[in-house]
Amino acid sequence: MQKTAVDVLISGGGVAGLAAAAAFGAAGYSVICVDPAPPVTSGDAPGADLRTTAFLQPSIPVLQAAGLWARLEPHAMPLQVMRIVDAGGVEPVARVVHDFDASDVSAQPFGWNLPNWLLRREFVARLDELPTVDFRPGVATKRLLTRDREALVWLSDGSSVTARLVVAADGRHSPVRKALGIGVKTTRYGQKALAFAVTHPDPHNNVSTEVHRSGGPFTLVPLPDHQGKPCSAVVWMETGPEVDRLKSLSREDFAQAMNERSAGLFGWLEQASALTVWPIITQQAERMIGQRTALMAEAAHVVPPIGAQGLNMSLGDLTALIDLANPETLGEPGPLDAYQRRRWPEVALRLAGVDALNRASMIEARPLRDARAATLNALYSLAPVRKGLMQLGIGMR
Ligand SMILES: Cc1cc2nc3c(=O)[nH]c(=O)nc-3n(C[C@H](O)[C@H](O)[C@H](O)COP(=O)(O)OP(=O)(O)OC[C@H]3O[C@@H](n4cnc5c(N)ncnc54)[C@H](O)[C@@H]3O)c2cc1C
């Protein structure tokens, strides 16, 4: 049986695992990254991830250091304004509209939006450039045994690897987390999200818009033009049965429902991609470390897609892992404990914030929806509170 020794074994080659492989590889560590599902790197291919990711400001330095940002920037759509719309009245029309402008808190945009399939394409291309990284698509982590000095990982192709550090980036059902016996706390909302792209007649002017009525937010995030028309990525959250109903509608009926729910913003929306469905939960691992192991991304935390927190928290994990890594002490208890102290409370705080926002957005009862609109008005009218919320949302504090 073939056995290889590396500095870092990354279990999972989703967006987070690929970014981690590039970051550790660019920092000079030897890396093996495994994933049973080869990445889909074209938007038209079956199984393509049609979600988009809005990278917030604090996520950029780790992508730059990994040599990823230079590849992404030409395709990225800057997000200058975050618009919150309450359409919770009797009719589904915008009754409260507030703009949170990045220029109030920074000389830069809030973030930059990119399709997930394109992230995979560029991340895989970057790994090809790095002699330190051995990316093995089609190979799964099968078994893990950790000791004081190293971790031993058995892979599905019959080979095995000894690593000084194992990074678990293998998703919300993380096999590495399970092998370590680390539990999770999961909150279910009975909600799902539809993710797809739309074109529209009115330009988006780099405004990311969340429309709240009931069931969850309807979010439009700017993308580059598609076939000469302004284009946005949509995440539409509703109760599970409602998403199933929407998904089964004819294209015409779906267009009608989507345009009603978008409150007419940006004009008549035309569906410009397939629909994909994502279950919505909040989940946090009881701890983010085990012997010789760090959990990151959805292996450690899952949030509803509100405020672009999910992958940005994952890049916060990666930033901490890279900051704390040292060739002398890689994978030892000191840096792993520091990682746990730095990330777990921060993640818990963000999960609680997104959970509260999601519950507010789901509200059905009219009086509560009216109270929600009043709260939004009150928060917005206090400039220091407004700026503080923006900084918190971006992750600037
Ligand atoms: C609708 C929607 C919109 C979103 N929008 C945003 C946004 O705008 N901004 C943002 O920051 N976040 C956003 N998120 C969150 C973001 O998409 C996720 O955080 C991110 O995609 C998860 O990445 P991941 O790599 O942790 O997990 P995954 O993509 O699930 O990757 C895990 C990988 O592990 C692999 N794996 C499984 N088993 C094994 C094994 N045995 N061995 C090795 N590998 C294994 C899987 O094949 C998979 O490729 C959104 C989420 C949703 C649902």
Side-chain angles (χ1 to χ4, degrees), residues 6-275:
V6 285
D7 292 325
V8 187
L9 181 284
I10 298 174
S11 179
V15 180
L18 294 174
F24 276 102
Y29 297 96
S30 59
V31 177
I32 291 178
C33 175
V34 294
D35 193 309
V40 179
T41 54
S42 148
D44 303 326
D49 184 348
L50 298 177
R51 294 174 295 175
T52 66
T53 296
F55 290 103
L56 302 176
Q57 282 182 25
S59 294
I60 305 305
V62 73
L63 295 173
Q64 282 169 330
L68 295 170
W69 187 241
R71 292 181 156 275
L72 301 182
E73 200 174 9
H75 309 283
M77 180 52 72
L79 308 177
Q80 184 61 33
V81 171
M82 225 171 251
R83 181 168 294 158
I84 308 286
V85 176
D86 190 286
V90 180
E91 297 300 323
V93 292
R95 59 174 177 171
V96 176
V97 180
H98 287 310
D99 281 0
F100 294 81
D101 194 322
S103 63
D104 279 355
V105 291
S106 165
Q108 292 203 306
F110 281 117
W112 294 263
N113 198 38
L114 289 129
N116 282 13
W117 62 264
L118 186 143
L119 298 179
R120 287 187 168 81
R121 186 186 75 193
E122 296 303 323
F123 288 10
V124 169
R126 174 65 181 142
L127 297 189
D128 281 347
E129 291 174 350
L130 286 167
T132 41
V133 180
D134 176 3
F135 176 43
R136 300 186 184 175
V139 176
T141 304
K142 289 289 273 186
R143 240 185 93 208
L144 169 76
L145 177 70
T146 61
R147 304 193 189 107
D148 280 352
R149 297 180 63 82
E150 65 190 14
L152 184 54
V153 183
W154 285 269
L155 302 175
S156 59
D157 62 358
S159 65
S160 62
V161 176
T162 57
R164 296 170 67 201
L165 174 67
V166 172
V167 174
D170 42 13
R172 57 183 69 186
H173 305 295
S174 171
V176 166
R177 186 186 67 221
K178 286 180 186 161
L180 293 168
I182 299 176
V184 290
K185 184 176 162 222
T186 308
T187 306
R188 296 178 201 285
Y189 306 93
Q191 254 178 328
K192 290 182 188 169
L194 279 168
F196 54 101
V198 291
T199 55
H200 34 84
D202 303 342
H204 49 57
N205 295 325
N206 303 92
V207 178
S208 176
T209 308
E210 273 183 18
V211 187
H212 299 268
R213 183 165 168 77
S214 63
F218 182 102
T219 307
L220 291 138
V221 191
L223 283 174
D225 287 0
H226 175 69
Q227 296 178 345
K229 295 181 196 158
C231 182
S232 294
V234 174
V235 176
W236 183 0
M237 286 163 63
E238 285 288 355
T239 61
E242 178 61 2
V243 166
D244 294 341
R245 186 189 74 81
L246 290 167
K247 182 108 197 310
S248 68
L249 292 177
S250 67
R251 208 172 163 96
E252 293 71 31
D253 289 346
F254 181 77
Q256 198 64 43
M258 150 173 85
N259 277 284
E260 194 169 293
R261 185 61 181 79
S262 69
L265 301 165
F266 304 124
W268 185 259
L269 306 181
E270 298 271 4
Q271 188 185 330
S273 77
L275 304 177

